[in-house]
Amino acid sequence: MGQSSTSKKRRSRDAATKMAEQRLSVLELARKLGNVAEACRRRGMDRTSFYEWRRRFQTHGFEGLKDLPPIHKSHPQTTPPETVEKIKAL
């Protein structure tokens, strides 16, 4: 028989999607149990993170549960190191 659509979906998931699905499962468990603390205990998540993920899910949907891109260590308008050294020398 042919592959079902769910098996195709499972294979095409990337790491970010898997993590988002795990976070969504905690949100769903908390709703089902009616107890955030118990859901977090069962899934090994602290409540602060739970409320952050819930807020992001409410505002951005499933995409909000994915990790944000890393913040660059340098800002495009950063003063060049040579200029900083000249200012320090003054």
Side-chain angles (χ1 to χ4, degrees):
M1 301 207 68
Q3 292 180 338
S4 68
S5 62
T6 55
S7 64
K8 288 179 185 177
K9 286 180 185 177
R10 286 183 185 164
R11 237 186 293 140
S12 65
R13 296 186 310 172
D14 59 350
T17 303
K18 287 180 184 178
M19 183 60 72
E21 287 173 348
Q22 289 176 350
R23 291 169 179 155
L24 180 60
S25 73
V26 177
L27 298 178
E28 290 172 345
L29 180 61
R31 184 181 49 79
K32 178 182 169 187
L33 295 174
N35 187 330
V36 171
E38 181 61 25
C40 290
R41 244 189 314 276
R42 289 185 184 185
R43 298 294 166 88
M45 176 186 281
D46 61 281
R47 286 187 292 161
T48 303
S49 296
F50 172 87
Y51 288 113
E52 174 65 19
W53 294 121
R54 186 174 75 173
R55 182 190 63 77
R56 285 177 53 180
F57 181 71
Q58 288 171 339
T59 56
H60 302 290
F62 184 76
E63 291 299 312
L65 297 177
K66 294 182 179 180
D67 288 328
L68 297 174
I71 298 172
H72 295 289
K73 293 184 179 182
S74 64
H75 191 275
Q77 296 178 349
T78 301
T79 306
E82 304 82 34
T83 307
V84 171
E85 292 303 319
K86 288 179 182 177
I87 292 171
K88 286 181 180 178
L90 292 173

